[in-house]
Amino acid sequence: LDLNANAGYLTLRTGDTTRLFVGSTGGVSVGAVTDPGLYNFIVAGTVSVNGVITKSIGGSMTGVTATYFDFPTHDDAGNGQMFEVKAFFDHYYNFDYGTHLYRFITSRDTSQCNLTIFNCTSANGGSWSAYKTSSTNLRVCKIAGTYGGGGAYWIQVTGKQP
């Protein structure tokens, strides 16, 4: 426990890892190491509310980036489950340099059915894909575009866990 009244923050650590941070503005971050600043509450990684799990990641990439992100799920070989998938990347303020996907997936093992609400692809930014690779994994893929400019991306997967 690190209480620094002069700097106005409180940090709870286990070993050298920050687990909880209360900043001078009153914002709280869980599992993050930075002051939440203008945000009231920040959680690094996964949030569970009444068994509904939301896993979020984000960062920077370029339009020519080709990569994938795996999201472990509970084993659905014996019964089906559903997911909400959001994946976004953009370099510029319009849709000509990015790619954006908003999809619902119902699955059992690797069989799946997709309901795509929004799928904006571009030659510059590429495209996103989301699918089950096994009964315990959902993969979100960024397919490369042709433009090398960088920008922000974020991915969010929500589903019910047993």
Side-chain angles (χ1 to χ4, degrees):
L1 182 62
D2 178 13
L3 175 59
N4 188 329
N6 293 333
Y9 65 84
L10 170 75
T11 305
L12 178 63
R13 293 185 181 94
T14 54
D16 291 333
T17 304
T18 298
R19 302 297 180 183
L20 177 72
F21 182 91
V22 180
S24 60
T25 61
V28 175
S29 61
V30 177
V33 295
T34 59
D35 187 340
L38 298 176
Y39 306 101
N40 290 328
F41 192 73
I42 296 177
V43 176
T46 304
V47 176
S48 175
V49 178
N50 295 324
V52 177
I53 307 291
T54 300
K55 299 176 182 183
S56 304
I57 60 170
S60 297
M61 65 172 59
T62 67
V64 296
T65 299
T67 189
Y68 65 88
F69 304 89
D70 285 336
F71 293 85
T73 68
H74 78 274
D75 191 341
D76 67 356
N79 59 357
Q81 61 181 324
M82 59 194 137
F83 303 95
E84 178 188 38
V85 178
K86 301 174 191 174
F88 297 89
F89 162 77
D90 219 320
H91 164 75
Y92 201 50
Y93 72 93
N94 61 26
F95 293 112
D96 293 339
Y97 291 86
T99 177
H100 313 84
L101 176 67
Y102 183 28
R103 172 178 290 170
F104 292 95
I105 297 173
T106 60
S107 69
R108 183 169 179 176
D109 199 23
T110 56
S111 298
Q112 74 180 50
C113 183
N114 299 325
L115 173 60
T116 301
I117 304 301
F118 186 77
N119 187 15
C120 178
T121 66
S122 71
N124 291 317
S127 62
W128 289 103
S129 178
Y131 54 91
K132 292 290 296 290
T133 60
S134 71
S135 63
T136 59
N137 190 67
L138 186 142
R139 178 169 289 169
V140 179
C141 292
K142 162 76 167 57
I143 293 94
T146 58
Y147 188 72
Y153 79 90
W154 62 270
I155 302 168
Q156 191 174 66
V157 175
T158 301
K160 176 74 171 89
Q161 298 293 314

